[in-house]
Amino acid sequence: MKDLRRYLVLKYIQYLVLSSSNAISTFLGLLGSLYTIIILQSAKVSSKSTVVLISSLAKADILVSVSIVSEMVVWTFEVSISSTAFTSALLQNLLTANAHVSCLLLSCVAVEAYLITFFPTDSRHLRTVKNARLTSRIIWILVTAECALFQTDVLLKASSTSAPTRSPCVLLFHFSSTAAALLRSLSYFLGILLRIANVYIYYKIFFSMSNRSTLKTK
């Protein structure tokens, strides 16, 4: 569990502390995820709700790996791409999906830590493996739908340039473009709220643990 805690700290720094990912944090995050996936295969690791969330968090980095490998293949072998805009948007959406899934899963871990600290008995029926799997599945579905909308927006944008002004494709593009813009704004503000919520949760947990330690020493 100590290794899993270190992994969570690494992921919190990567997604909720740093304003944007860099090469070093991405590389360390990929190594940490690979190590975590290997650890979770061990029979010594018990199946708990937190472990389910961490497992889903580690698997989210597969999207980063796919994006990086794809870019390396294109750059190394000079593969010609028929639609550069579509492909670059697809690779960017993989990174977006990874970041959003990771932030939401980390926030779920923080909420669970809060429940364990302050409501250990009352929240036991909520902190189940089944609920953790359901939560992970819902997060993946929502983020997949989000990135599908972003990708559709790029596709319609390319199609609308050669279409008549009043064609259904252009009208659909305007709707998709507006929806994508609103969703990007919502994702941005949600990201800020998640950062604030995570800081508040761990602030409460830290001082709660400090007060308990002080009372024990007295």
Side-chain angles (χ1 to χ4, degrees), residues 37-51:
I37 291 174
I38 294 172
I39 287 177
L40 294 178
Q41 303 305 314
S42 173
K44 295 180 180 179
V45 180
S46 59
S47 180
K48 295 181 180 179
S49 54
T50 306
V51 172

Side-chain angles (χ1 to χ4, degrees), residues 85-143:
F86 181 85
T87 305
S88 61
L90 178 60
L91 297 179
Q92 182 58 45
N93 278 331
L94 290 177
L95 299 178
T96 300
N98 167 260
H100 290 183
V101 167
S102 298
C103 288
L104 290 170
L105 288 172
L106 287 169
S107 299
C108 289
V109 173
V111 170
E112 187 168 42
Y114 183 88
L115 293 175
I116 291 172
T117 304
F118 296 101
F119 309 101
T121 305
D122 297 337
S123 66
R124 189 170 295 170
H125 68 285
L126 297 173
R127 297 182 287 104
T128 61
V129 172
K130 181 180 178 181
N131 286 342
R133 287 175 179 164
L134 178 62
T135 302
S136 297
R137 196 174 295 119
I138 291 173
I139 288 173
W140 277 102
I141 291 172
L142 291 176
V143 174

Side-chain angles (χ1 to χ4, degrees), residues 8-58:
L8 285 175
V9 170
L10 173 63
K11 284 298 175 181
Y12 274 111
I13 294 173
Q14 182 181 355
Y15 291 107
L16 295 173
V17 176
L18 296 177
S19 57
S20 60
S21 297
N22 52 57
I24 297 175
S25 64
T26 300
F27 177 71
L28 293 175
L30 288 174
L31 285 181
S33 294
L34 178 61
Y35 179 65
T36 300
I37 291 174
I38 294 172
I39 287 177
L40 294 178
Q41 303 305 314
S42 173
K44 295 180 180 179
V45 180
S46 59
S47 180
K48 295 181 180 179
S49 54
T50 306
V51 172
V52 172
L53 295 173
I54 293 175
S55 175
S56 188
L57 176 64

Side-chain angles (χ1 to χ4, degrees), residues 63-187:
L63 300 175
V64 180
S65 302
V66 171
S67 179
I68 293 174
V69 170
S70 300
E71 288 185 355
M72 289 179 63
V73 168
V74 172
W75 180 75
T76 303
F77 299 100
E78 298 181 353
V79 179
S80 58
I81 302 174
S82 57
S83 178
T84 307
F86 181 85
T87 305
S88 61
L90 178 60
L91 297 179
Q92 182 58 45
N93 278 331
L94 290 177
L95 299 178
T96 300
N98 167 260
H100 290 183
V101 167
S102 298
C103 288
L104 290 170
L105 288 172
L106 287 169
S107 299
C108 289
V109 173
V111 170
E112 187 168 42
Y114 183 88
L115 293 175
I116 291 172
T117 304
F118 296 101
F119 309 101
T121 305
D122 297 337
S123 66
R124 189 170 295 170
H125 68 285
L126 297 173
R127 297 182 287 104
T128 61
V129 172
K130 181 180 178 181
N131 286 342
R133 287 175 179 164
L134 178 62
T135 302
S136 297
R137 196 174 295 119
I138 291 173
I139 288 173
W140 277 102
I141 291 172
L142 291 176
V143 174
T144 300
E146 175 195 31
C147 292
L149 176 61
F150 292 158
Q151 196 66 29
T152 303
D153 181 41
V154 174
L155 182 63
L156 290 175
K157 189 178 294 183
S159 303
S160 64
T161 55
S162 58
T165 307
R166 295 186 178 180
S167 68
C169 182
V170 174
L171 296 176
L172 186 61
F173 160 69
H174 287 305
F175 173 77
S176 173
S177 180
T178 303
L182 289 174
L183 190 55
R184 285 190 179 94
S185 299
L186 179 63
S187 298

